[in-house]
Amino acid sequence: VKSEGPKLVPFFKATCVYFVLWLPTSSPSWFSALIKCLPIFCLWVFLLAHGINFLVSHRSASRILAGLIFSAVGDAFLIWQEQGYFIHGLLMFAITHILYSSAFGMKPLDLKAGLLMGLVSGSCYAFLYSYLSGPFTYLVAVYIALIGFMGWRAVAGMQLCNDLWTWTKLSACIGAMLFMVSDLTIALNKFCFPVPYSRFIIMATYYAAQMLIALSAVESRDEEDYRKRS
């Protein structure tokens, strides 16, 4: 907390600015896009504050940074989703989930966690299917598969049952789950029925998810510091 907390202060301030201003979504503008993306920009700075050498030498951290960049672009597209840019935003976040999955890695495999995430993802798509039409029928399927895969890799990395977990792996796991909640709320609100307080739920879980995933990038730094002390 002492080492990473101060670096996250700009993120918390930017998030407060978003919720305090609460700009109407009915009149999208570049200013509203900036306010929405500002917390994610602050997470870029959070990772960059650990040093360029750290990002270059640790692929997981650099991939999470790349995922945050694509997330910001996706956020900007979703500001104008009613003008036909929803699919563009969907594509940007699909790339984000691929990058996050790559950052979390494939070890340990944990097929039980994969099966559980597969069942959850499949159930979500089965519920949404009757509400989907046109290209969204397969686009949403692909997207759910990608975010489900990302969730699997985050959960598998925690190794809670083996008592091998760390706080950064736990943050990745919780972050992935919150990201899924945020995106499921978007899907329900857009394709199925109005969700009460949907915007607040979507953005609160989204910002928390991104912060926790960004925090998980310092895992490799913790291991490196531990080796030096040993």
Side-chain angles (χ1 to χ4, degrees):
V1 172
K2 288 182 179 179
S3 61
E4 305 302 334
K7 299 185 186 78
L8 286 170
V9 169
F11 165 80
F12 289 119
K13 288 183 177 179
T15 302
C16 289
V17 168
Y18 173 83
F19 285 108
V20 168
L21 292 182
W22 203 245
L23 298 172
T25 57
S26 57
S27 54
S29 66
W30 285 108
F31 179 71
S32 59
L34 174 63
I35 295 301
K36 184 182 180 184
C37 295
L38 192 58
I40 307 303
F41 294 159
C42 292
L43 292 178
W44 297 4
V45 176
F46 167 75
L47 290 180
L48 290 170
H50 290 85
I52 298 297
N53 290 335
F54 169 73
L55 293 172
V56 170
S57 59
H58 296 91
R59 292 184 177 181
S60 61
S62 60
R63 288 168 183 170
I64 288 176
L65 176 60
L68 289 168
I69 292 171
F70 278 98
S71 293
V73 177
D75 281 331
F77 276 129
L78 292 181
I79 287 288
W80 285 277
Q81 61 177 292
E82 299 302 327
Q83 285 72 38
Y85 288 96
F86 182 80
I87 292 178
H88 299 73
L90 198 69
L91 175 61
M92 293 299 103
F93 280 107
I95 295 172
T96 294
H97 297 317
I98 293 172
L99 288 166
Y100 286 168
S101 299
S102 178
F104 298 150
M106 290 301 296
K107 294 180 181 180
L109 193 60
D110 197 347
L111 293 177
K112 290 182 179 179
L115 178 60
L116 176 61
M117 294 307 302
L119 289 173
V120 171
S121 300
S123 298
C124 290
Y125 182 70
F127 179 83
L128 292 170
Y129 181 77
S130 61
Y131 295 94
L132 302 173
S133 61
F136 285 114
T137 302
Y138 59 85
L139 288 176
V140 171
V142 172
Y143 186 86
I144 288 178
L146 288 174
I147 194 171
F149 185 83
M150 185 271 291
W152 170 31
R153 299 321 310 149
V155 172
M158 190 171 60
Q159 301 185 73
L160 188 60
C161 296
N162 297 329
D163 200 27
L164 296 173
W165 66 277
T166 62
W167 71 268
T168 44
K169 289 178 180 177
L170 179 62
S171 71
C173 178
I174 298 174
M177 296 301 101
L178 288 175
F179 217 135
M180 294 178 73
V181 171
S182 179
D183 282 355
L184 179 60
T185 307
I186 290 175
L188 291 174
N189 193 65
K190 182 174 181 63
F191 299 114
C192 304
F193 48 79
V195 177
Y197 309 106
S198 60
R199 185 182 172 192
F200 177 81
I201 295 170
I202 290 165
M203 297 311 299
T205 53
Y206 170 69
Y207 286 141
Q210 294 284 37
M211 180 196 69
L212 290 168
I213 291 173
L215 272 172
S216 73
V218 304
E219 172 71 24
S220 49
R221 188 189 185 199
D222 290 344
E223 292 173 352
E224 184 179 274
D225 291 344
Y226 177 80
R227 286 195 298 270
K228 288 179 179 178
R229 289 195 299 269
S230 302

